[in-house]
Amino acid sequence: MKSIQSIERAAAILTLLSGPARRMGVVEIAGELDLAKATAHGILRTLTQVGFVEQDPESSKYQLGAALLHIGSSYLDGNELRTRALNWSDSLASRTNEAVRIGTLHDGQVLVVHHVFRPDDTRQVLEVGALLPAHASALGKMLLAHHSYAAAECIKAGLPRYTPKTIVDAAELRRELEETRDRGWAVDLEELVSDEAAYAAPIKDRRGDTVGAIGIAGPAERLCVKGKTRSDLAASVREAARSISRELGALPG
Amino acid sequence: MVIQQYVASVDQGTASSRCIVFDHAARVVSVSQKEHHHIFPRPGWVEHDPLELLNNVQTVVRNALEYAQLEARDIAALGITNQRETTVLWDRETGEPAYNAVNWQDMRTDHLVRELGGEVGQNRFRDLCGLPLATYFSGPKIRWLLDHVDGLSERAESGDLLFGTIDSWLIWKLTGRHVTDPTNASRTMLMNLRTLEWDDELLDAMGVPRAMLPEICSSAEVYGEATGSLEGVPVAAALGDQSAALIGQTCFERGEGKCTYGTGSFLLLNTGDAPVQSANGLLTTVAYKLGSRPAAYALEGSIANTGALVQWFRDNVGLISTAPEIETLALTVEDNGGCYFVPAFAGLFAPHWRDDARGVITGLTGYITKGHLARAVLEATAWQTREVLEAMNSDAKVRLEILRVDGGMTANNLLMQFLADVLDVPVVRPLVAETPSLGAAYAAGLAVNFWPDLETLRGHWHRAAEWRPKMDPALRAKGYRKWQKAVQRALDWVDEDDDD
């Protein structure tokens, strides 16, 4: 099959810019790839327009653009996330005296990548690797709130009921996700298991993308007051999420 | 008057320096960490810049306070824990290091320790100091520096040159006092294990002038007040990292033990107030000495290459880009495919103590993929732990019923489950994984009455995760047999002329 020459050349330029030099002028690039300067310039202009390449205004040199970095997706290895979050999830467990979980989105569900026991020395089983329904858990709602595509997929796949309080109506879920995003934390009030409640907050990376969520879960009688959420617990969860985000290089705020 | 709510601890480790601030309930309030450079002047040599270590410690302390919006006056005490054995020499007057810090992994004393063993061999000083002659320990490193760096020998004799492990170096810079604690001193091969004093016979044998040595204080007392961003804060604990981890895990009773999984891994068992000599190649060491209380001793089994092996796999092999990704890669396959990796990069530690061993990968077939290699890398840590645990059970005449674990590698679930499987005991991680930092904070907190007693500290220990054995016993036995065969293949690799 015949390949398209200009795409090949564009790819060569991107590969070159991802190499050790990082920043190169148009003459340098043309020389390196044996292209006419005008040809190199034309390709660079197109790549700049779509954001795959940026031109440094001072030196006029070219470098890889932010749009390209985003294409690498906001994927963060779950094992890496657990490692980076270890101290802060421990801290959250001891501050709230509740079990802590960290989840990431995985095929429309929440994959538990980290679990810290409720620190009361009772017998508990490690739940790393377990899957939770996204629309019926605090972790899931937090993640869906920041991933509209996943939320749409989730709604399309159907919203099964787990308790009388599970949100099974698409419009209601959309409203809930919007509120969750605005509020900055998610809550599950007996939506997955009766008499159990949970809180969650988003973990962001250095680009501000939500790469996971951290939360606590436990009996509703401890996690709620007269059926209402406890702002102190939500604050602790958010604080832990912020600390982990900072660990991942996210800017404060 | 301000009532201080926090204790800070500095962990100056092999790879990085870390400051953690703890509150009264021993919860982590703030963490800051910074990696430093390793200097490799020749194969087998490993050094750090002592001033870089000091600067990084100051930076992480400042950052940890800033993150928690605290000031020096909020901190009741500072505890220091450190990579052990790493050797610093500096000038008493100027404070300038006389040479780079010689890291514990550095093998330049290879020939020297063999010479020192003479007719008797590597156990020549074991009764006095609890250690076999090996390249890790500070005494021979001092001797090497005095022999090979111009002018140092004279300056040492005249008292112008000071020696310290990292604790001493930092405390000297922070407070101006030249002190150390028995856990660090017990790793020099210069301290008598029973009297906890520098020993003339050992000093003579190593040729180390007494004038350059720090005063051996306890592990938990106020050595002085800090300067810098911790102006006025009592510096109140010094502990080798493994001892600190033992305290952090609240292993205060005879028969309690823990294993810390870091660059290397270290299994320590508290043997109470008397040193136990090992018949199985374990080290006898000081567990801690808290103020005026009698010292506690420990048996120690060290494994050279655990986290370091994963880092090597990341940096030198390049199949993963971050250390935690090894778990992701290992999970792409069901098992090791028959592949075993004995990471004897610098020989084997306990219970073998064979410096003629080098790394091998065995059981290779055309079937093996990078996933199997990743498994073999992780499993090496578990099998090595099993060897050490068996030696320890035999020496201490007790069977450890549960393994308390800590350190960065406890974030690796696959490894922790495999560990429980091959040891056939439950593996438990406490709520604070950074136990060296916690232990140093505990010791400092005890010294200034921030915490009243050991019982209070014990009350802070909670289970954060537990892995229970679920491997078929026949599979366990076969795996261990294969591992032992792999170890045999790693031995006797180094020849006399390999240095040429």
Side-chain angles (χ1 to χ4, degrees):
Chain A
M1 196 181 84
K2 194 171 177 298
S3 57
I4 299 170
Q5 194 186 37
S6 58
I7 292 183
E8 244 176 30
R9 285 175 172 171
I13 289 176
L14 293 176
T15 308
L16 194 62
L17 289 174
S18 71
R22 301 272 170 194
R23 275 187 187 184
M24 298 173 89
V26 61
V27 177
E28 233 177 321
I29 292 171
E32 195 72 43
L33 298 174
D34 214 5
L35 297 174
K37 189 185 158 193
T39 311
H41 195 258
I43 295 171
L44 281 165
R45 202 172 46 219
T46 310
L47 287 172
T48 308
Q49 278 164 7
V50 298
F52 283 11
V53 161
E54 287 168 357
Q55 190 175 22
D56 180 37
E58 287 205 37
S59 62
S60 296
K61 290 192 170 185
Y62 293 91
Q63 62 190 37
L64 294 183
L68 196 60
L69 301 178
H70 273 277
I71 285 186
S73 92
S74 55
Y75 175 77
L76 177 72
D77 186 289
N79 296 314
E80 167 110 32
L81 178 56
R82 183 192 317 119
T83 303
R84 308 280 287 270
L86 204 61
N87 280 328
W88 302 113
S89 36
D90 281 358
S91 204
L92 178 60
S94 63
R95 195 163 301 278
T96 58
N97 279 314
E98 299 294 347
V100 171
R101 285 177 190 75
I102 291 178
T104 57
L105 277 179
H106 181 83
D107 289 342
Q109 290 179 293
V110 178
L111 174 67
V112 177
V113 298
H114 186 41
H115 174 195
V116 182
F117 291 169
R118 186 176 59 254
D120 59 4
D121 297 327
T122 56
R123 179 80 191 273
Q124 293 162 69
V125 177
L126 210 56
E127 286 172 17
V128 173
L131 291 167
L132 303 173
H135 70 287
S137 61
L139 290 171
K141 288 195 288 182
M142 195 69 248
L143 290 164
L144 292 180
H146 286 283
H147 291 94
S148 49
Y149 179 76
E153 289 287 294
C154 187
I155 287 167
K156 212 189 300 171
L159 305 173
R161 180 179 290 287
Y162 296 91
T163 72
K165 296 192 177 170
T166 308
I167 301 175
V168 294
D169 177 70
E172 195 187 335
L173 182 63
R174 281 194 204 94
R175 268 197 307 278
E176 168 80 3
L177 295 181
E178 199 171 319
E179 262 173 50
T180 298
R181 188 171 51 239
D182 292 347
R183 190 170 49 203
W185 52 277
V187 62
D188 143 30
L189 292 174
E190 309 189 47
E191 292 157 47
L192 182 59
V193 180
S194 291
D195 302 323
E196 283 196 13
Y199 298 80
I203 299 171
K204 304 197 173 203
D205 68 5
R206 65 193 162 79
R207 299 197 303 268
D209 291 340
T210 299
V211 290
I214 182 169
I216 58 171
E221 60 178 23
R222 273 207 306 265
L223 270 66
C224 302
V225 185
K226 294 176 190 151
K228 293 268 197 300
T229 55
R230 278 178 54 185
S231 56
D232 58 325
L233 292 178
S236 293
V237 171
R238 295 184 77 187
E239 177 58 32
R242 268 196 297 269
S243 298
I244 298 166
S245 302
R246 190 171 59 208
E247 175 79 30
L248 295 176
L251 297 170
Chain B
M1 147 153 193
V2 181
I3 298 176
Q4 287 121 345
Q5 298 294 320
Y6 306 98
V7 168
S9 87
V10 162
D11 178 359
Q12 202 304 302
T14 305
S16 66
S17 303
R18 184 178 330 195
C19 178
I20 302 188
V21 178
F22 294 93
D23 68 9
H24 218 273
R27 296 180 297 210
V28 174
V29 173
S30 169
V31 183
S32 174
Q33 183 171 347
K34 193 161 194 248
E35 294 192 6
H36 53 257
H37 294 96
H38 286 57
I39 303 161
F40 303 104
R42 290 169 56 169
W45 291 25
V46 188
E47 301 174 355
H48 306 304
D49 174 358
L51 292 174
E52 184 189 6
L53 300 185
L54 178 71
N55 287 337
N56 285 4
V57 163
Q58 284 164 340
T59 303
V60 294
V61 165
R62 206 164 44 236
N63 289 347
L65 292 184
E66 198 184 304
Y67 290 154
Q69 296 174 337
L70 298 174
E71 292 173 30
R73 61 193 169 93
D74 299 314
I75 306 295
L78 172 71
I80 290 174
T81 180
N82 55 287
Q83 53 170 319
R84 302 173 300 172
E85 297 131 15
T86 296
T87 298
V88 189
L89 301 183
W90 68 92
D91 189 284
R92 184 193 293 274
E93 291 305 317
T94 65
E96 284 294 310
Y99 195 83
N100 276 336
V102 180
N103 180 269
W104 58 275
Q105 295 160 312
D106 186 293
M107 294 195 293
R108 75 186 66 196
T109 55
D110 194 10
H111 287 289
L112 179 60
V113 294
R114 236 173 285 162
E115 241 169 69
L116 285 167
E119 300 276 297
V120 189
Q122 64 180 8
N123 288 328
R124 180 175 166 201
F125 305 113
R126 212 184 237 277
D127 280 349
L128 280 175
C129 68
L131 307 173
L133 275 158
T135 54
Y136 314 102
F137 307 117
S138 318
K141 289 188 198 294
I142 303 175
R143 181 69 253 154
W144 189 96
L145 289 168
L146 298 185
D147 285 344
H148 291 83
V149 183
D150 271 354
L152 288 193
S153 194
E154 295 73 27
R155 287 163 68 193
E157 290 289 350
S158 67
D160 293 336
L161 190 70
L162 300 182
F163 153 77
T165 37
I166 299 291
D167 56 314
S168 296
W169 166 244
L170 295 176
I171 295 172
W172 192 80
K173 283 289 188 183
L174 282 168
T175 71
R177 280 192 69 198
H178 189 216
V179 297
T180 188
D181 93 301
T183 69
N184 278 297
S186 75
R187 315 297 293 194
T188 58
M189 301 198 82
L190 301 174
M191 188 189 78
N192 183 302
L193 207 49
R194 286 162 194 83
T195 64
L196 307 186
E197 297 290 342
W198 303 119
D199 186 285
D200 283 325
E201 188 184 333
L202 293 167
L203 295 183
D204 278 355
M206 306 267 171
V208 172
R210 191 180 269 269
M212 68 190 303
L213 299 176
E215 178 191 345
I216 304 176
C217 297
S218 81
S219 314
E221 63 180 72
V222 177
Y223 309 120
E225 289 188 354
T227 51
S229 52
L230 283 179
E231 182 80 48
V233 173
V235 180
L239 288 153
D241 49 12
Q242 298 311 318
S243 297
L246 196 70
I247 294 174
Q249 288 270 22
T250 65
C251 294
F252 299 128
E253 293 293 323
R254 189 174 164 272
E256 291 181 333
K258 66 87 210 174
C259 193
T260 300
Y261 290 93
T263 308
S265 292
F266 299 88
L267 185 53
L268 265 76
L269 182 73
N270 188 330
T271 61
D273 55 14
V276 173
Q277 288 292 348
S278 171
N280 294 290
L282 302 174
L283 308 182
T284 308
T285 201
V286 178
Y288 49 81
K289 179 171 173 17
L290 302 175
S292 56
R293 280 171 262 212
Y297 292 86
L299 274 173
E300 170 175 326
S302 357
I303 307 165
N305 214 345
T306 53
L309 181 61
V310 177
Q311 285 162 16
W312 173 86
F313 197 66
R314 178 194 64 193
D315 298 336
N316 295 28
V317 183
L319 286 174
I320 49 173
S321 59
T322 67
E325 278 177 29
I326 189 144
E327 189 173 351
T328 313
L329 182 56
L331 283 168
T332 59
V333 291
E334 294 277 301
D335 55 32
N336 66 10
C339 178
Y340 290 80
F341 195 147
V342 183
F345 290 2
L348 285 167
F349 281 28
H352 308 284
W353 291 101
R354 289 283 295 262
D355 51 17
D356 64 349
R358 284 298 178 270
V360 293
I361 305 175
T362 64
L364 290 179
T365 62
Y367 170 74
I368 297 299
T369 66
K370 57 187 177 181
H372 297 114
L373 287 177
R375 283 255 175 190
V377 162
L378 288 179
E379 291 181 7
T381 292
W383 292 122
Q384 292 182 97
T385 308
R386 167 138 176 203
E387 290 181 326
V388 168
L389 191 60
E390 289 195 351
M392 203 158 273
N393 287 339
S394 151
D395 278 335
K397 314 275 189 292
V398 291
R399 189 177 144 74
L400 205 67
E401 295 294 338
I402 188 168
L403 183 66
R404 297 180 181 205
V405 295
D406 51 66
M409 281 181 105
T410 58
N412 191 311
N413 272 300
L414 181 67
L415 172 61
M416 291 299 112
Q417 182 58 53
F418 192 74
L419 193 58
D421 283 344
V422 305
L423 300 181
D424 199 16
V425 297
V427 168
V428 177
R429 180 178 84 81
L431 203 52
V432 174
E434 305 300 345
T435 52
S437 297
L438 182 60
Y442 277 167
L446 285 172
V448 299
N449 287 314
F450 184 76
W451 287 298
D453 51 32
L454 300 183
E455 261 330 289
T456 307
L457 302 183
R458 221 184 256 285
H460 297 153
W461 191 95
H462 294 296
R463 202 176 293 251
E466 175 168 1
W467 296 267
R468 299 193 148 255
K470 55 185 185 194
M471 187 186 256
D472 168 22
L475 214 61
R476 176 185 301 130
K478 182 182 174 194
Y480 194 42
R481 190 182 74 229
K482 288 287 187 194
W483 166 261
Q484 287 171 311
K485 287 177 81 170
V487 167
Q488 287 309 310
R489 277 151 183 80
L491 302 178
D492 188 27
W493 182 256
V494 176
D495 297 319
E496 274 300 318
D497 61 357
D498 277 355
D499 295 343
D500 300 349

Coordinates of all heavy atoms in Angstrom, one line a residue, chain A residues 10-37:
Chain A
A10 N 5.3 14.4 8.6 CA 4.8 15.0 9.8 C 5.2 14.1 11.0 O 5.7 14.6 12.0 CB 3.3 15.2 9.8
A11 N 5.0 12.8 10.8 CA 5.4 11.9 11.9 C 6.9 11.9 12.2 O 7.3 11.9 13.3 CB 5.0 10.5 11.4
A12 N 7.7 12.1 11.1 CA 9.1 12.2 11.3 C 9.5 13.4 12.1 O 10.4 13.4 13.0 CB 9.9 12.2 10.0
I13 N 8.8 14.5 11.8 CA 9.1 15.8 12.6 C 8.7 15.6 14.1 O 9.4 16.0 15.0 CB 8.3 16.9 12.0 CG1 8.9 17.3 10.6 CG2 8.3 18.1 12.9 CD1 8.2 18.4 9.9
L14 N 7.5 14.9 14.3 CA 7.1 14.7 15.7 C 8.1 13.8 16.4 O 8.4 14.1 17.6 CB 5.7 14.1 15.7 CG 4.6 15.1 15.2 CD1 3.2 14.3 15.2 CD2 4.5 16.3 16.1
T15 N 8.5 12.8 15.7 CA 9.5 11.9 16.4 C 10.8 12.6 16.7 O 11.4 12.5 17.8 CB 9.8 10.7 15.4 OG1 8.6 10.1 15.0 CG2 10.7 9.6 16.1
L16 N 11.2 13.5 15.8 CA 12.4 14.2 16.0 C 12.3 15.1 17.2 O 13.2 15.2 18.0 CB 12.7 15.1 14.7 CG 14.1 15.7 14.5 CD1 15.1 14.6 14.5 CD2 14.1 16.6 13.3
L17 N 11.1 15.8 17.3 CA 10.9 16.7 18.4 C 10.7 16.0 19.8 O 10.9 16.6 20.8 CB 9.7 17.6 18.2 CG 9.9 18.7 17.1 CD1 8.6 19.4 16.8 CD2 11.0 19.7 17.5
S18 N 10.4 14.7 19.7 CA 10.3 14.0 21.0 C 11.7 13.4 21.4 O 11.8 12.8 22.4 CB 9.3 12.8 20.8 OG 9.9 11.8 20.0
G19 N 12.7 13.6 20.5 CA 14.1 13.2 20.8 C 14.8 14.1 21.8 O 14.2 15.0 22.4
P20 N 16.1 13.8 22.0 CA 16.8 14.6 23.0 C 16.9 16.1 22.8 O 17.0 16.8 23.8 CB 18.2 13.9 23.0 CG 18.2 13.1 21.8 CD 16.9 12.8 21.3
A21 N 16.8 16.5 21.6 CA 16.9 18.0 21.3 C 15.7 18.7 21.8 O 15.8 19.8 22.4 CB 17.1 18.2 19.8
R22 N 14.5 18.2 21.7 CA 13.2 18.8 22.2 C 12.8 20.1 21.5 O 11.7 20.2 21.1 CB 13.3 19.1 23.7 CG 13.6 17.9 24.5 CD 12.3 17.2 25.0 NE 12.6 15.9 25.6 CZ 11.7 15.0 25.8 NH1 10.5 15.2 25.5 NH2 12.0 13.8 26.3
R23 N 13.7 21.0 21.3 CA 13.4 22.3 20.6 C 14.3 22.5 19.5 O 15.5 22.4 19.6 CB 13.6 23.4 21.6 CG 12.5 23.7 22.5 CD 12.8 25.0 23.3 NE 11.7 25.2 24.2 CZ 11.6 26.3 25.0 NH1 12.6 27.2 24.9 NH2 10.7 26.4 25.9
M24 N 13.7 22.7 18.3 CA 14.6 22.8 17.1 C 14.0 23.9 16.2 O 12.8 24.1 16.1 CB 14.6 21.5 16.3 CG 15.2 20.3 17.1 SD 15.1 18.8 16.3 CE 16.6 18.8 15.3
G25 N 14.9 24.6 15.5 CA 14.5 25.6 14.5 C 14.1 24.9 13.2 O 14.5 23.7 13.0
V26 N 13.5 25.6 12.3 CA 13.0 25.0 11.0 C 14.1 24.6 10.2 O 14.1 23.5 9.5 CB 12.0 26.0 10.3 CG1 12.7 27.3 9.9 CG2 11.4 25.3 9.1
V27 N 15.2 25.3 10.1 CA 16.4 25.0 9.3 C 17.0 23.6 9.8 O 17.3 22.7 9.0 CB 17.5 26.1 9.4 CG1 18.7 25.7 8.6 CG2 16.9 27.4 8.8
E28 N 17.1 23.6 11.1 CA 17.6 22.4 11.8 C 16.8 21.1 11.4 O 17.3 20.1 11.0 CB 17.5 22.6 13.3 CG 18.8 22.4 14.1 CD 18.6 22.7 15.5 OE1 17.8 23.6 15.8 OE2 19.1 21.9 16.4
I29 N 15.5 21.3 11.5 CA 14.6 20.2 11.2 C 14.7 19.8 9.8 O 14.8 18.6 9.5 CB 13.1 20.6 11.6 CG1 13.0 20.8 13.1 CG2 12.1 19.5 11.1 CD1 11.6 21.4 13.5
A30 N 14.7 20.8 8.9 CA 14.7 20.5 7.5 C 16.0 19.8 7.2 O 16.0 18.8 6.4 CB 14.7 21.8 6.7
G31 N 17.1 20.2 7.8 CA 18.4 19.6 7.5 C 18.5 18.1 8.0 O 18.9 17.2 7.3
E32 N 17.9 18.0 9.2 CA 17.9 16.6 9.9 C 17.2 15.6 9.0 O 17.5 14.5 8.9 CB 17.3 16.8 11.3 CG 17.6 15.6 12.2 CD 19.0 15.6 12.7 OE1 19.6 16.6 13.0 OE2 19.5 14.5 12.7
L33 N 16.1 16.1 8.4 CA 15.2 15.1 7.7 C 15.4 15.2 6.2 O 14.6 14.6 5.4 CB 13.7 15.4 8.0 CG 13.4 15.2 9.5 CD1 11.9 15.7 9.8 CD2 13.6 13.8 9.9
D34 N 16.3 16.0 5.8 CA 16.6 16.2 4.3 C 15.4 16.7 3.5 O 15.0 16.1 2.5 CB 17.1 14.8 3.8 CG 18.1 15.0 2.7 OD1 18.6 16.1 2.4 OD2 18.5 13.9 2.1
L35 N 14.8 17.7 4.1 CA 13.6 18.3 3.4 C 14.0 19.7 3.0 O 14.8 20.4 3.6 CB 12.4 18.4 4.4 CG 11.8 17.1 5.0 CD1 10.8 17.5 6.0 CD2 11.2 16.3 3.8
A36 N 13.2 20.2 2.0 CA 13.4 21.6 1.6 C 12.8 22.5 2.8 O 11.9 22.0 3.5 CB 12.6 21.9 0.4
K37 N 13.4 23.6 3.0 CA 13.0 24.4 4.2 C 11.5 24.8 4.1 O 10.8 24.7 5.0 CB 13.8 25.7 4.2 CG 13.6 26.5 5.5 CD 14.3 27.8 5.5 CE 13.7 28.8 6.5 NZ 14.1 30.2 6.3

